[in-house]
Amino acid sequence: MKPSRDSEDSLDPHRWTALVILLTGAFLPPLDFFIVNVALPSIREDFQATASTMQLIISGYATTYAVMLITGGRLGDLYGRRNVFLAGMVAFAAASALCGFAWSPAALVVGRVLQGFAAAIMAPQALASINAIFPDHEKSRALSFYALTFGVASMAGLFLGGALIALNILDLGWRAVFLINLPVIAIAAPSAMMVLRETRSEHASKLDVGGAVLIALALFALISPLIEGREQGWPIWSLLMLAGCLPLLFLFWHHEQKVEAAGRDPILAPRLVRTPGLKRGLLAAFFFYAFAAFWLTFSVYQQGGLGRTPFEAGLAILPAAVGFVLGPFASGYIFHVFGRYSTAAGMSLEAAGLFGTAALVSFGAPEFLYVALFFVGAGQGIALPNLVRTVVQRVDTAQSGLASGLVNSMLQIGGALATALIGGLFFSVLGSSTDVISIGHAYSIAAVAIAFCLLIAGWLSAGLGAKKEALR
């Protein structure tokens, strides 16, 4: 059914231009997570830094980003998504400059923590604003571009970092992987001020500071040991933090119930969580991003097993990138064929691709990996926009920032847990072996484990409609 004339007249005429700016904000956070991995050897050589410092450069960003996403999303709902998006983008530029001009390992770690904080403020506003400024009949297309951006950023980081270091622009070396953000934001931030329309909750109130602190502590207690624990052999502090996560979550939930009962605005309203299908959608997002473990295991197979350079390993992933580019554009057709099972169809295709990579590696035919990798990318490109739409559109537009933070947070938590557990499985199977057959065997087992997680996610998402049923 075509939209009415009135609805057409009320549409933001700059929404597609605004989308480009919003996608810039969605592109930078995942890019800066992956791009630094390639630069670590150069950073270590330049600073003569310890292995634990190198880990902090990665985990400081990842932990802060995951911990603050829910609060970041809520800030946009309360204080205006355009304002918060701009504040996050400017802060991200400042933190990137600190990283790029870091004079010591400690300064770089501080810069990375600040980058993660700024990314968590900026990123949820992109998805929430898309949900707010686009009408229903255009959201599918806009979210397909969002999914494309999110995936391409993850893949681009794997070879862009190597390219920047190899080119050694202005003799910057590894510093270029951080400073490249500055000209991008120098263009995007003024454009956002001119083009983006402000959106926020119509009944905005003060931030639930107690809830924000409690959820941050609970997520920190969960995510920090997941990221650091495996690297350090699961020391006692990591186990104590994991044990303390559940009591903190209980305190958080009890606090939110009290805030809601008092008629105030909690950071995560219990009534929101009771929205039909929302919990299933979020749990599907949790299992879906077990795919994060693929980047670790496939990279080790490419570099440790096949002897490729980081840049060559990045190029090897290009078939998946091509699939990811094409996948979102097929989402409309997939939705027409599979309807409410579109998300599950995409996840099943992605799982099939992972099973294919495991078989090809096991049978010693890595030259044909590009076929399976294409299906991996296409499946993720189909599943991600449908999954995001399933979750975000189940709630009121006024709370889309919170929903965006929730889905992004579940993706990050799922990714951190999968990297710890499936990464641990990979290294346990591998042991001390360094030959290509042993590494290939370990990769194949990890790929099968990731594929099963995707099938679970597909089962959870099966039948969930994209529209919020409770509001029909």
Side-chain angles (χ1 to χ4, degrees), residues 13 19 88 107 117 137 159 175 179 202 232 238 265 273 305 326 333 344 353-354 376 385 392 421 436 449 454:
L19 178 65
F117 181 84
H137 67 283
F159 56 85
R175 298 176 186 274
L179 297 177
E202 293 180 3
Q232 299 185 22
S238 66
D265 199 4
V273 180
L326 297 178
Y333 174 76
L354 284 168
V376 169
V392 175
L421 298 182
V436 63
L454 285 167

Side-chain angles (χ1 to χ4, degrees), residues 282-353:
L282 291 172
L283 194 56
F286 173 82
F287 279 99
F288 173 71
Y289 217 56
F291 184 72
F294 168 81
W295 304 115
L296 169 67
T297 56
F298 189 75
S299 179
V300 172
Y301 169 68
Q302 288 285 311
Q303 297 180 56
L306 301 181
R308 292 174 173 167
T309 66
F311 184 63
E312 290 171 337
L315 291 176
I317 205 69
L318 282 179
V322 172
F324 210 110
V325 168
L326 297 178
F329 294 105
S331 290
Y333 174 76
I334 296 295
F335 186 78
H336 179 72
V337 174
F338 292 97
R340 296 154 66 89
Y341 296 89
S342 300
T343 308
M347 292 175 182
S348 299
L349 180 62
E350 189 176 0

Side-chain angles (χ1 to χ4, degrees), residues 173-231:
W174 59 265
R175 298 176 186 274
V177 305
F178 300 110
L179 297 177
I180 191 67
N181 296 328
L182 301 186
V184 174
I185 293 175
I187 297 171
S191 301
M193 292 179 67
M194 293 185 292
V195 174
L196 282 186
R197 176 169 62 87
E198 185 62 280
T199 62
R200 69 180 76 200
S201 171
E202 293 180 3
H203 307 288
S205 61
K206 292 182 179 179
L207 178 67
D208 170 21
V209 177
V213 171
L214 284 171
I215 191 61
L217 288 174
L219 290 177
F220 181 76
L222 173 64
I223 295 168
S224 183
L226 289 178
I227 293 174
E228 291 277 354
R230 182 184 61 80
E231 292 288 334

Side-chain angles (χ1 to χ4, degrees), residues 106-458:
L108 182 54
V109 170
V110 171
R112 288 291 283 168
V113 170
L114 293 175
Q115 260 196 326
F117 181 84
I121 301 301
M122 173 176 62
Q125 316 316 323
L127 184 55
S129 296
I130 290 171
N131 191 49
I133 67 176
F134 281 92
D136 288 343
H137 67 283
E138 291 181 346
K139 278 180 185 174
S140 178
R141 186 179 173 195
L143 287 172
S144 293
F145 283 114
Y146 175 84
L148 171 64
T149 301
F150 189 90
V152 169
S154 304
M155 298 176 190
L158 296 176
F159 56 85
L160 184 57
L164 287 172
I165 293 172
L167 291 171
N168 196 23
I169 301 170
L170 300 177
D171 202 29
L172 289 171
W174 59 265
R175 298 176 186 274
V177 305
F178 300 110
L179 297 177
I180 191 67
N181 296 328
L182 301 186
V184 174
I185 293 175
I187 297 171
S191 301
M193 292 179 67
M194 293 185 292
V195 174
L196 282 186
R197 176 169 62 87
E198 185 62 280
T199 62
R200 69 180 76 200
S201 171
E202 293 180 3
H203 307 288
S205 61
K206 292 182 179 179
L207 178 67
D208 170 21
V209 177
V213 171
L214 284 171
I215 191 61
L217 288 174
L219 290 177
F220 181 76
L222 173 64
I223 295 168
S224 183
L226 289 178
I227 293 174
E228 291 277 354
R230 182 184 61 80
E231 292 288 334
Q232 299 185 22
W234 298 107
I236 187 66
W237 67 261
S238 66
L239 301 178
L240 289 174
M241 286 185 72
L242 285 172
C245 173
L246 285 177
L248 284 169
L249 285 173
F250 175 79
L251 284 174
F252 166 73
W253 192 246
H254 180 67
H255 171 82
E256 297 300 272
Q257 288 177 318
K258 286 179 60 179
V259 170
E260 186 176 64
R264 300 195 303 272
D265 199 4
I267 197 164
L268 177 56
R271 68 178 182 278
L272 177 70
V273 180
R274 293 191 288 270
T275 301
L278 183 65
K279 285 182 283 190
R280 275 181 61 193
L282 291 172
L283 194 56
F286 173 82
F287 279 99
F288 173 71
Y289 217 56
F291 184 72
F294 168 81
W295 304 115
L296 169 67
T297 56
F298 189 75
S299 179
V300 172
Y301 169 68
Q302 288 285 311
Q303 297 180 56
L306 301 181
R308 292 174 173 167
T309 66
F311 184 63
E312 290 171 337
L315 291 176
I317 205 69
L318 282 179
V322 172
F324 210 110
V325 168
L326 297 178
F329 294 105
S331 290
Y333 174 76
I334 296 295
F335 186 78
H336 179 72
V337 174
F338 292 97
R340 296 154 66 89
Y341 296 89
S342 300
T343 308
M347 292 175 182
S348 299
L349 180 62
E350 189 176 0
L354 284 168
F355 284 129
T357 66
L360 289 167
V361 169
S362 295
F363 289 112
E367 64 272 18
F368 297 110
L369 275 172
Y370 67 91
V371 178
L373 288 173
F374 174 82
F375 287 113
V376 169
Q380 193 178 45
I382 292 167
L384 185 56
N386 283 293
L387 177 61
V388 168
R389 186 170 58 247
T390 294
V391 175
V392 175
Q393 289 190 251
R394 303 192 85 81
V395 303
D396 259 315
T397 300
Q399 294 178 310
S400 58
L402 173 58
S404 302
L406 278 172
V407 69
N408 276 303
S409 190
M410 291 302 290
L411 290 171
Q412 295 300 318
I413 294 169
L417 184 60
T419 300
L421 298 182
I422 298 178
L425 173 65
F426 172 84
F427 288 111
S428 296
V429 172
L430 182 59
S432 59
S433 302
T434 57
D435 60 284
V436 63
I437 294 177
S438 298
I439 295 175
H441 176 64
Y443 166 77
S444 297
I445 291 176
V448 168
I450 297 168
F452 275 117
C453 288
L454 285 167
L455 292 177
I456 293 172

